[in-house]
């Protein structure tokens, strides 16, 4: 860089990190691999791209020779006049009446309507700007003023970034709290972090635009980097124009999408009023009741939103682009591969809701799990056991297992309590029935009405299976476990009192004496009789 002061060289080296030279060459050689090409650069501004070979000169030789002539002309006359002269099928560019370079038909694009004269005139304009910038970059006064302006712009930029940072954080907190408060009223999930991140994203976009504008402004202050600044500013303006044009083109489609969403929400709102009245009992519909209102409401909302999405899809910005179509195909494949089990669980949940096998609050036994139904969801069912555990069962698993509902046997609240004992054939079955019924009568929280009863559920090879079935008005699963505990204790006491052993003998021989516990040994140490602490 002959004639460039060293401080400016350092500044150029730092700013070049932001704007590589290779990206700023005007009319570079892309798409012209069949021809040689070399840019003619004056004061870091590309004047023209010369091509070759022509008349035995390569493109690089043409550019080097032209640059040498321009340097010599400017050394003798810092402000020469630019003129043009026709030369056969080419146009000459002159400085102070001296030939600098020749624009030939090889240097133009005739298919784009260019002529050698038009290209030469455009090159002359850029050469005139480069000559002026060459004079400016040799002026210490000009560079001092430009540095002062750049420093002031940098201070303003730093202050603006700081204000943007503080303002976005404060605005983000206030807007997020307001959005979260509004979301609670509408029974929507947590939107605090989403709102805060959205405001932060907007702040980052503004900061990037401000940074690009500041870099372009600073670069344009110095003659040697002015071309870079103009290029960066032009790109920034072009991006803004494209974004503004895209937004203006998308507005009609977005309005239609908003109308479709509004209609869908209105339809769902009208249906909600209907379903609420059915749920409250104001309207009676044969195919709807309190158990099926919830799934029916969900199915209706899902169908409406799917239909609305299908209607709004063509009007979404970029819906017709290949990228959007590819993304849609990718999402479809992901749903097809990974959503089969989810859809199966959802259909199982809907089936359970419409089958009305159980509802929230019922006491059920599903496979090996027994307890109170806490939630019947679309994908899984939560059950609270008598031991305080919460078991989550996938709905698809429930569909393949036997479900026993102990809350449906007797009208009203409460549920069935049952237990099984096996007694040998040597004990009269009537005595066993009476003892089990007496044990139930002694147990607290066993209802008198309906009365407990006993059923012989199996006649095995060596014993009879007796099932005691009683009813308790309790509703929670933990007390039911206590009721079963007390019932089992009473059964053992009654059988011991009457000298009947509880065992399932696989006969080798009868025991010499009945396997019972005498009453005086019921509270053998460390057990303590009632009333003793």
């Amino acid at each position: 860089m002959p004639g460039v002061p060293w401080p400016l060289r350092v500044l150029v080296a730092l700013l070049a990190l932001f704007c590589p030279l290779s990206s700023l060459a005007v009319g570079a050689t892309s798409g012209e691999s069949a021809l040689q090409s070399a840019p003619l650069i004056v004061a870091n501004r590309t004047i023209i791209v010369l091509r070759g070979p022509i008349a035995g000169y390569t493109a690089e030789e043409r550019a080097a020779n032209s640059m040498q002539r321009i340097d010599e002309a400017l050394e003798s006359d810092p402000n020469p006049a630019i003129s043009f002269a026709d030369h056969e099928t080419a146009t000459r560019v002159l400085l102070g009446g001296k030939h600098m370079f020749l624009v030939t038909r090889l240097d133009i694009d005739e298919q784009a309507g260019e002529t050698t004269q038009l290209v030469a005139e455009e090159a002359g304009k850029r050469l005139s700007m480069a000559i002026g910038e060459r004079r400016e970059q040799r002026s210490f006064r000009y560079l001092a003023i430009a540095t002062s302006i750049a420093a002031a712009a940098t201070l303003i930029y730093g202050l603006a970034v700081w204000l943007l940072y503080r303002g976005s954080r404060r605005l983000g907190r206030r807007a997020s709290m307001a959005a979260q408060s509004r979301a609670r009223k509408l029974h929507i999930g947590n939107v605090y972090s989403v709102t805060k991140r959205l405001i932060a994203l907007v702040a980052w976009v503004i900061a990037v635009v401000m940074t690009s504008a500041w870099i372009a402004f600073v670069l344009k202050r110095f003659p040697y980097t002015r071309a870079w600044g103009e290029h960066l500013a032009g790109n920034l303006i072009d991006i803004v124009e494209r974004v503004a044009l895209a937004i203006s083109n998308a507005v009609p489609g977005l309005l239609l999408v908003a109308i479709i969403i509004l209609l869908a929400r209105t339809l769902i709102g009208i249906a909600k009023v209907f379903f609420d009245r059915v749920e409250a009992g104001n309207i009676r519909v044969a195919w709807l009741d309190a158990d099926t209102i919830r799934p029916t409401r969900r199915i209706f909302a899902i169908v409406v939103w799917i239909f609305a999405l299908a209607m709004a899809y063509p009007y979404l910005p970029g819906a017709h682009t290949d990228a959007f179509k590819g993304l849609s195909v990718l999402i479809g494949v992901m749903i097809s591969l990974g959503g089969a089990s989810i859809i199966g669980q959802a259909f199982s949940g809907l089936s359970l809701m419409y089958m009305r096998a159980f509802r929230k609050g019922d006491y059920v036994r599903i496979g090996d799990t027994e307890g109170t139904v806490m939630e019947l969801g679309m994908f899984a069912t939560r059950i609270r056991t008598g031991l305080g555990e919460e078991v989550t069962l996938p709905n698809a698993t429930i569909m393949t297992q036997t479900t026993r509902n102990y809350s449906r046997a007797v009208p009203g609240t409460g549920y069935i309590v049952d237990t099984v004992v096996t007694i040998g054939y040597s004990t009269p079955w009537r005595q066993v029935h009476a003892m089990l019924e007496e044990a139930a009568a002694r147990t607290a929280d066993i209802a008198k009405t309906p009365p407990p009863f006993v059923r012989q559920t199996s006649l095995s090879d060596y014993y009879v299976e007796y099932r005691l079935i009683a009813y308790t008005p309790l509703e929670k699963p933990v007390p039911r476990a206590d009721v079963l505990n007390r019932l089992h204790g009473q059964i053992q006491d009654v059988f011991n009192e009457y000298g009947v052993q509880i065992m399932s003998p696989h006969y080798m021989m009868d025991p010499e004496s009945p396997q019972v516990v005498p009453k005086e040994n019921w509270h053998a140490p460390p057990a303590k009789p009632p009333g003793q602490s």
Side-chain angles (χ1 to χ4, degrees), residues 275-295:
F275 288 127
D276 289 344
R277 299 195 64 182
V278 172
E279 189 173 9
N282 299 327
I283 299 177
R284 296 188 177 275
V285 181
W287 51 276
L288 282 177
D289 58 18
D291 295 330
T292 56
I293 282 291
R294 182 182 175 189

Side-chain angles (χ1 to χ4, degrees), residues 260 264 267 301-313:
I260 292 172
L267 183 59
I302 291 172
V303 171
V304 170
W305 282 119
I306 290 177
F307 183 77
L309 178 61
M311 293 292 295
Y313 178 84

